Amino acid sequence: MEWSFLLNSILLGVGLAMDAFSVCLANGLNEPKMKVKRMCAVSSVFAVFQALMPMLGWVCVHTIVSYFSAFQKLIPWIALVLLLYIGGKMLIEGIMAKEEDEKPAVTFGALMIQGVATSIDALSVGFTIAEYGVARALVCSLIVATVTFFISLGGIILGKQFGTRLANKAAILGGVILIAIGIEIFVGGIIG
């Protein structure tokens, strides 16, 4: 493998992982007592979705490209709805929570929605790696996944640090962050 391929894959991973980083920051804020095992599991979910979506896009380019181009217009809307739902729910729970309430962990279902919402734009990366053979596209996706894992883990750790200090306001801030990410993905997808 040449260095430019590796560097491009790493930079692609960094770019794609920014939404996952922000959501993991919110998750860390919401759950400041998250254990290392759970932190790794949460980061892995984002990494898996960030690896699967470009490969799914690659497969679409090589099989059903006409259907995928119509779906691509819906990506900003889907991300907006999913993140508004999760962020709004988190925001309401944060506002309604009492001082002494223990913050609930992000549920498996919510984590899956977050994973899809933050990686759905990576489907279009399948177009950018379309000229790669299957092995090279897979390696690129695995590099993206690795980068996403570590960036997501960093987001959780950072969120936990602030979550401990912010205590009862963490869920509100986390909800606002998720809503802002949803709006940013939507506006970027509509304008760009």
Side-chain angles (χ1 to χ4, degrees):
M1 307 245 166
E2 70 247 12
W3 288 105
S4 64
F5 167 75
L6 291 173
L7 181 61
N8 287 341
S9 297
I10 290 168
L11 292 175
L12 184 62
V14 170
L16 289 173
M18 289 301 104
D19 289 340
F21 171 81
S22 299
V23 172
C24 284
L25 182 70
N27 288 343
L29 282 167
N30 189 54
E31 196 178 337
K33 294 180 181 169
M34 191 184 305
K35 304 279 187 230
V36 173
K37 184 177 177 181
R38 179 158 167 76
M39 290 168 44
C40 289
V42 168
S43 297
S44 294
V45 167
F46 289 98
V48 166
F49 275 106
Q50 289 290 9
L52 287 178
M53 291 298 186
M55 283 307 296
L56 183 60
W58 184 89
V59 167
C60 288
V61 166
H62 291 278
T63 57
I64 54 172
V65 72
S66 61
Y67 298 117
F68 182 69
S69 62
F71 175 74
Q72 191 173 9
K73 295 173 186 161
L74 297 175
I75 288 173
W77 291 95
I78 293 168
L80 176 68
V81 168
L82 293 174
L83 288 172
L84 284 177
Y85 171 75
I86 295 293
K89 186 176 175 202
M90 205 173 181
L91 185 62
I92 290 168
E93 289 172 356
I95 291 169
M96 304 296 275
K98 296 180 178 123
E99 282 291 320
E100 66 277 353
D101 284 351
E102 179 79 19
K103 304 286 186 285
V106 176
T107 65
F108 179 76
L111 190 56
M112 291 297 113
I113 292 171
Q114 289 175 351
V116 170
T118 58
S119 66
I120 198 163
D121 58 335
L123 272 171
S124 55
V125 170
F127 287 126
T128 64
I129 63 172
E131 74 275 359
Y132 293 169
V134 68
R136 194 168 211 172
L138 186 59
V139 168
C140 178
S141 292
L142 292 174
I143 292 170
V144 167
T146 303
V147 169
T148 300
F149 175 84
F150 287 109
I151 288 176
S152 296
L153 191 60
I156 293 170
I157 292 168
L158 192 59
K160 281 178 52 169
Q161 291 300 314
F162 286 109
T164 305
R165 293 188 188 111
L166 296 174
N168 60 341
K169 303 297 182 211
I172 295 170
L173 182 59
V176 169
I177 289 171
L178 292 181
I179 291 169
I181 293 167
I183 292 169
E184 183 269 328
I185 291 171
F186 176 74
V187 170
I190 297 299
I191 293 173

